[in-house]
């Protein structure tokens, strides 16, 4: 085979602003090694006012797929509006763009990544009662996969109760059938008799090393407290949960790897094993601390 006959690598990237910190290239490189797929995966910074142009330039130059991170998930949704997955439509945001058959397709894999990580951690979701803290894009992005786990109840609480109520109303208007009872309230209304089986922090408070202003006695026996933010040490929410009686806590590193694995499956039709990747990333985080 001559050099001109060597097939070009499939090109993928993560797009965001900022994006230099993203671990996605490392994650997808490990997935590719596992599955024996040759690909090129990089970081693609986009100007805040230049997302659309950056995306089209990437795909017109032969790109095959993009992972989308902050602050562009809503813009990605609009860009792929004609070819959205059901998950993306309910989430109102896209984190995975795929160029297929001359068209741009959008999906949201955040919720799948979260649910798979909860299962890895041994959370019994069937019939469970879940508390979701936060009503922004992160919460909306995971609501459908959570509701489809067979849980009995999901309560959404937010600093602004009206936003939580709006999210519940939007879910109910989506027409997707779920047996989960969905309610909304303010942070002060988070407690329930008997406690919650799983409490998920979908706010950005952890980025400031702060915890949401939640009341005490939130946790049922053997309850799991899960923070979507991750780092080398327990987050402020995780520390708060431990003090309040949560049996177990976890951060969102497994969700990061899980959502990437689902994107990889969408693009390549092969499902990688997230476990060794998660182990490697955790070791790196601890070494960087």
């Amino acid at each position: 085979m001559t050099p001109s006959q060597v097939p070009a690598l499939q090109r993928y990237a993560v797009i965001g602003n900022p994006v230099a910190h993203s671990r996605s290239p490392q994650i997808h490189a490990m997935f590719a090694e596992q599955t024996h797929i040759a690909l090129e995966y990089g970081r693609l910074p986009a100007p805040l006012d230049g997302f659309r142009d950056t995306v089209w330039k990437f795909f017109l130059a032969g790109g095959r797929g993009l992972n989308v991170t902050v602050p562009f998930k809503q813009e990605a949704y609009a860009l792929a509006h004609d070819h959205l997955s059901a998950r993306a439509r309910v989430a109102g945001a896209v984190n995975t763009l795929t160029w297929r058959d001359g068209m741009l397709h959008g999906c949201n894999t955040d919720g799948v990544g979260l649910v798979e990580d909860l299962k890895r951690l041994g959370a019994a979701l069937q019939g469970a009662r879940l508390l979701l803290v936060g009503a922004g894009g992160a919460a909306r992005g995971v609501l459908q996969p959570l509701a489809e786990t067979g849980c009995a109840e999901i309560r959404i609480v937010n600093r602004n109760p009206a936003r939580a109520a709006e999210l519940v109303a939007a879910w109910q208007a989506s027409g997707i059938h779920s047996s989960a009872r969905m309610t909304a309230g303010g942070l002060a209304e988070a407690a329930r008799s008997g406690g919650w089986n799983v409490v998920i922090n979908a706010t950005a408070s952890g980025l400031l090393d702060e915890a949401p202003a939640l009341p005490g006695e939130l946790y049922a026996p053997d309850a799991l407290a899960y923070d979507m933010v991750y780092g080398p040490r327990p987050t402020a929410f995780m520390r708060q949960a431990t003090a309040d009686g949560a049996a177990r806590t976890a951060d969102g590193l497994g969700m990061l790897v899980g959502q990437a694995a689902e994107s990889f499956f969408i693009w390549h039709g092969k499902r990688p094993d997230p476990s060794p990747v998660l182990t490697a990333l955790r070791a790196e985080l601890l070494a960087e601390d």
Side-chain angles (χ1 to χ4, degrees), residues 14-15 18-26 41-43 69 230 256:
V14 54
I15 184 170
V19 77
H21 66 288
S22 175
R23 298 180 185 270
S24 292
Q26 180 185 2
Y41 190 111
R43 296 179 180 89
T69 187
Y230 68 89
L256 173 72

Side-chain angles (χ1 to χ4, degrees), residues 146-169:
L146 283 175
E148 292 176 341
T149 61
C151 61
E153 180 180 358
I154 299 176
R155 182 160 180 79
I156 303 170
V157 295
N158 192 60
R159 184 173 56 181
N160 180 350
R163 290 198 68 192
E166 288 169 5
L167 181 51
V168 169

Side-chain angles (χ1 to χ4, degrees), residues 73-74 77 87-94 108 140:
K73 292 184 181 182
Q74 280 72 39
Y77 177 92
R87 293 197 302 245
R89 289 192 184 280
V90 173
V94 159
N108 191 305
R140 180 167 179 164

Side-chain angles (χ1 to χ4, degrees), residues 4-286:
S4 62
Q5 294 174 315
V6 176
L9 289 176
Q10 299 180 48
R11 291 184 58 227
Y12 300 86
V14 54
I15 184 170
N17 184 330
V19 77
H21 66 288
S22 175
R23 298 180 185 270
S24 292
Q26 180 185 2
I27 293 171
H28 281 267
M30 287 189 277
F31 287 162
E33 185 177 2
Q34 273 188 29
T35 55
H36 308 291
I37 292 175
L39 58 82
E40 175 187 303
Y41 190 111
R43 296 179 180 89
L44 184 62
L48 292 177
D49 60 351
F51 174 75
R52 177 183 291 266
D53 289 345
T54 305
V55 167
W56 284 123
K57 187 178 297 184
F58 175 82
F59 284 116
L60 289 174
R64 303 285 292 273
L66 286 171
N67 286 127
V68 184
T69 187
V70 293
F72 297 125
K73 292 184 181 182
Q74 280 72 39
E75 286 190 64
Y77 177 92
L79 203 57
H81 189 269
D82 292 336
H83 302 282
L84 293 171
S85 69
R87 293 197 302 245
R89 289 192 184 280
V90 173
V94 159
N95 77 338
T96 304
L97 289 170
T98 307
W99 186 257
R100 187 170 66 245
D101 300 327
M103 293 174 286
L104 194 60
H105 298 256
C107 189
N108 191 305
T109 66
D110 285 332
V112 173
L114 171 62
V115 169
E116 288 304 309
D117 201 36
L118 292 174
K119 292 178 180 177
R120 177 187 67 84
L121 292 164
L125 298 175
Q126 183 72 36
R129 289 170 171 80
L130 276 58
L131 178 68
L132 185 59
V133 185
R140 180 167 179 164
V142 302
L143 193 53
Q144 179 188 352
L146 283 175
E148 292 176 341
T149 61
C151 61
E153 180 180 358
I154 299 176
R155 182 160 180 79
I156 303 170
V157 295
N158 192 60
R159 184 173 56 181
N160 180 350
R163 290 198 68 192
E166 288 169 5
L167 181 51
V168 169
W171 165 257
Q172 292 170 340
S174 70
I176 294 178
H177 174 72
S178 168
S179 59
R181 177 172 175 259
M182 199 86 64
T183 61
L187 295 180
E189 302 168 294
R192 73 174 293 276
S193 177
W196 301 97
N197 303 114
V198 180
V199 178
I200 301 165
N201 181 26
T203 75
S205 60
L207 298 175
L208 303 173
D209 198 32
E210 298 174 353
L214 293 166
E217 301 182 0
L218 287 180
Y219 297 94
D222 198 36
L224 170 67
Y226 190 99
D227 199 339
M228 289 190 187
V229 172
Y230 68 89
R233 301 180 183 182
T235 66
F237 168 76
M238 292 164 67
R239 298 194 301 270
Q240 175 196 64
T242 298
D244 191 32
R248 298 171 291 156
T249 63
D251 70 10
L253 188 63
M255 175 181 171
L256 173 72
V257 177
Q259 62 81 25
E262 185 69 13
S263 293
F264 192 91
F265 176 72
I266 289 170
W267 290 334
H268 306 291
K270 292 187 177 181
R271 195 172 294 282
D273 180 3
S275 298
V277 179
L278 177 56
T279 300
L281 290 185
R282 182 67 70 190
E284 286 191 7
L285 273 180
L286 294 173

